[in-house]
Amino acid sequence: ADMKFNKSVTSSRRKNRKNHFSAPSSVRRVLMSSHLSKELRVKHSIRSLPIRKNDEVVVVRGTYKGNEGKVTQVYRRRWVINIEGVRYEKKNGSLINIGVKPSNCSITKLHMDKDRQALINRKSSNKGQDKGKHEGESVP
């Protein structure tokens, strides 16, 4: 039985699932984050970012693994993103987008604007500091 650090945060599966699936769009944005590619990770010194329209991604897991393309839509209500190349053709010839979960994708090219640059600067500025790590002596 591990001790909880914060009494106000629940570890109940039922409550966590309820909070996840009834999350508002602003919270879903953060939950729908993707890892950055190795090059971007080195360049910006951050691991992941909330995905957005016009990012270029590669699918790294699942049926559509290896597919690359631009994000055409972030469908927060369904927890998926639509990617330019990932679709199937119906019998009548119409093309249907297939939703891919952002956790199964890796961002290869970021769509940059000043707000996103500010977010990256804010996230990467915390990386330089040690987060309360003890030097030398062992922690009991």
Side-chain angles (χ1 to χ4, degrees):
D2 292 324
M3 258 179 55
K4 278 181 18 179
F5 292 111
N6 188 344
K7 292 285 186 199
S8 65
V9 176
T10 183
S11 55
S12 160
R13 173 178 162 85
R14 178 199 234 180
K15 290 179 187 174
N16 279 324
R17 282 178 59 81
K18 178 176 188 273
N19 290 338
H20 181 271
F21 291 111
S22 62
S25 182
S26 57
V27 174
R28 287 183 187 220
R29 175 183 163 271
V30 178
L31 291 173
M32 290 176 70
S33 293
S34 282
H35 283 302
L36 300 183
S37 67
K38 288 188 172 67
E39 299 83 46
L40 287 176
R41 197 182 303 169
V42 170
K43 182 180 173 189
H44 297 295
S45 69
I46 54 175
R47 182 170 286 274
S48 64
L49 269 181
I51 201 151
R52 69 171 284 185
K53 192 175 173 177
N54 294 330
D55 281 347
E56 288 182 25
V57 298
V58 58
V59 183
V60 292
R61 288 279 182 280
T63 313
Y64 301 96
K65 179 177 180 176
N67 285 21
E68 296 180 56
K70 189 181 273 194
V71 176
T72 54
Q73 182 187 27
V74 178
Y75 201 158
R76 290 188 191 159
R77 173 178 270 182
R78 288 194 180 171
W79 298 99
V80 294
I81 59 173
N82 291 334
I83 304 169
E84 225 162 47
V86 182
R87 49 172 57 140
Y88 76 94
E89 193 176 340
K90 288 174 60 169
K91 287 279 193 286
N92 64 12
S94 62
L95 292 169
I96 302 294
N97 288 320
I98 294 173
V100 179
K101 295 211 167 164
S103 60
N104 296 337
C105 299
S106 176
I107 301 174
T108 54
K109 189 160 179 275
L110 292 169
H111 178 72
M112 201 58 82
D113 60 10
K114 66 179 197 313
D115 291 328
R116 202 164 207 199
Q117 188 60 60
L119 172 70
I120 289 171
N121 293 343
R122 193 171 70 234
K123 282 185 82 168
S124 61
S125 67
N126 296 340
K127 292 292 182 232
Q129 309 151 357
D130 285 336
K131 293 185 181 169
K133 297 279 193 293
H134 293 283
E135 295 292 323
E137 81 275 3
S138 62
V139 181

